[in-house]
Amino acid sequence: MKVYLMLLALSAVVSFALTPAVRRLALAGQVFTPQRQRDVHREPVPKLGGVAMIAAVLVALAIGAMVPFLDGIYSDPEPLHGLLMALGVVVLMGVADDLWDLHWTLKLAGQVSAAALVAFHGIRVEAMPVGWIAVGNEPVQIGLTIFILVLTMNAINFVDGLDGLAAGMAAIGGSAFFIYTYLLTRTINEFDYSNLATLLMAVLVGSCIGFLPHNFNPARIFMGEVGAMLIGLLLATAAVAVTATVGDMQEGFRFRNVPAYMPILLPIAVMALPLLDLGLAVVRRTVRGASPFSADRGHLHHKLVDGGWTHRQAVLLLYLWTFLIAYGVVALNFVDWWIVLAVVGVLLLGAGYLTLHPWVRRSRTARNAPHETREPQT
């Protein structure tokens, strides 16, 4: 655990230290987020912040290669080579989009290319944890992996609409996934605690934590396309990598404390809000005859701001939902399920009331307001 926490801290420090330099570079190059009607910021804000985040991830991964504790990960370099090449695609496509606002088809092609590099170099969906359905066909493994990675990258991109929202949600959800994958590794292997998914979550959470002080409202810099694609790629890659442990779990080797449905449930819980927002956006845009990749002001975070919450309050509310869902699922590893469901259920009801409070208050005010009456005419 100490090694992972050290790399998390290193990634946070590098991300925090490099972000001001990247901001100066973005200012010098006039790389601003354009003013659009759907945006909530009033003044142009530089982007490219994801470049500092991805640099922090790469530095932490490079230092990790020197740590004997992680030899089990680095002894087979092929998966990491594919991931590093995918990160290269993320940087090129993300920077190009931040500079020139690429057409959505080009961005999708870049996402598919990055996902394909990960899949073709060995990180693939090997089993569906629900019912332990093995995925033995290699083309199917690759296709499923590409689909999951591209879906997650777009989900993060869609939710990245308020200062600090994507980075904070990724830090919270990623930390929950980090705890789970570390626990899982200790459960199925008593001699080697090195795990690729745990490493990826540690460096991702660190890069997000280091970036957040510069990105929280009022943001001095945005992560841009690079940051959103980085978060989505690493979250999805870690989730896919977990399926490689299914064989060990199926054998039942020391697998007593971790519920068997976790490999599928926790990634979904971590990504619950981004996936919900993505699904609603696709339906909403398709119904009105627009492209699913077209932009609008109908996202969950827009609804909260339009409903009466301030920018910061809306972000903190979505942090709360992410925390309750992700850590509620992680708690199933430690506490009886009925206790978790009871406690988390009450907390979710409270969060729901808190979220809807502006609408409830307005409704009460409207009901209690005195109705206008007219004097009877004589």
Side-chain angles (χ1 to χ4, degrees):
M1 176 65 83
K2 292 180 181 178
V3 171
Y4 292 122
L5 294 179
M6 178 197 72
L7 293 177
L8 187 154
L10 173 64
S11 180
V13 169
V14 174
S15 179
F16 179 80
L18 288 183
T19 299
V22 173
R23 182 178 184 273
R24 289 192 292 270
L25 182 64
L27 288 172
Q30 298 291 298
V31 187
F32 295 106
T33 297
Q35 295 294 125
R36 298 162 299 190
Q37 186 175 2
R38 69 179 189 272
D39 291 331
V40 296
H41 57 280
R42 296 289 180 263
E43 298 178 359
V45 178
K47 42 188 178 179
L48 292 179
V51 173
M53 296 172 65
I54 208 166
V57 167
L58 293 175
V59 169
L61 289 177
I63 297 299
M66 306 176 189
V67 181
F69 176 81
L70 301 175
D71 283 346
I73 299 172
Y74 291 90
S75 59
D76 180 12
E78 187 70 10
L80 280 172
H81 287 168
L83 179 60
L84 291 176
M85 287 189 284
L87 292 175
V89 173
V90 165
V91 171
L92 292 176
M93 291 297 298
V95 170
D97 183 64
D98 286 344
L99 291 174
W100 301 299
D101 195 16
L102 302 177
H103 191 268
W104 69 266
T105 54
L106 290 176
K107 291 192 284 188
L108 182 61
Q111 293 170 350
V112 171
S113 300
L117 285 167
V118 172
F120 278 102
H121 284 79
I123 302 177
R124 302 171 189 165
V125 176
E126 297 183 7
M128 301 301 293
V130 178
W132 306 124
I133 303 172
V135 182
N137 185 282
E138 186 172 337
V140 174
Q141 290 180 348
I142 293 173
L144 277 173
T145 301
I146 293 174
F147 172 77
I148 292 171
L149 266 62
V150 171
L151 178 70
T152 309
M153 283 188 276
N154 279 289
I156 295 297
N157 200 8
F158 276 40
V159 83
D160 182 26
L162 295 179
D163 298 355
L165 180 56
M169 289 177 65
I172 295 169
S175 64
F177 204 16
F178 167 78
I179 292 172
Y180 162 70
T181 56
Y182 181 76
L183 173 66
L184 177 64
T185 303
R186 289 180 60 98
T187 301
I188 65 175
N189 195 333
E190 59 184 338
F191 304 111
D192 182 7
Y193 294 165
S194 63
N195 179 273
L196 178 60
T198 309
L199 173 63
L200 294 182
M201 287 301 93
V203 299
L204 174 63
V205 169
S207 69
C208 290
I209 291 174
F211 180 68
L212 261 177
H214 306 285
N215 183 235
F216 197 72
N217 182 258
R220 295 186 293 277
I221 187 171
F222 293 153
M223 67 171 62
E225 194 75 13
V226 178
M229 289 177 64
L230 168 69
I231 292 173
L233 180 69
L234 292 189
L235 276 174
T237 299
V240 169
V242 167
T243 69
T245 65
V246 167
D248 292 327
M249 291 187 285
Q250 195 170 10
E251 296 298 325
F253 175 61
R254 300 183 68 245
F255 190 67
R256 294 190 298 270
N257 300 321
V258 183
Y261 45 77
M262 278 294 158
I264 189 67
L265 181 58
L266 186 55
I268 293 175
V270 169
M271 294 296 300
L273 292 182
L275 290 175
L276 174 63
D277 197 29
L278 173 63
L280 292 175
V282 170
V283 172
R284 181 176 65 249
R285 295 166 186 175
T286 303
V287 166
R288 70 167 188 256
S291 166
F293 294 92
S294 62
D296 61 18
R297 194 183 166 83
H299 293 288
L300 296 176
H301 49 270
H302 290 138
K303 296 296 185 184
L304 290 174
V305 173
D306 294 342
W309 291 109
T310 67
H311 192 128
R312 286 192 177 191
Q313 289 171 340
V315 170
L316 292 174
L317 268 175
L318 291 171
Y319 285 177
L320 174 63
W321 280 98
T322 302
F323 178 86
L324 290 178
I325 295 172
Y327 276 90
V329 173
V330 170
L332 292 170
N333 295 287
F334 307 99
V335 184
D336 290 338
W337 66 268
W338 60 272
I339 298 177
V340 174
L341 291 183
V343 174
V344 175
V346 171
L347 293 175
L348 287 175
L349 287 175
Y353 176 80
L354 184 64
T355 302
L356 298 175
H357 181 66
W359 288 273
V360 174
R361 183 177 56 193
R362 283 204 301 270
S363 176
R364 288 176 177 172
T365 302
R367 286 199 307 268
N368 296 331
H371 297 288
E372 292 186 7
T373 58
R374 291 187 177 182
E375 293 281 341
Q377 297 191 13
T378 57

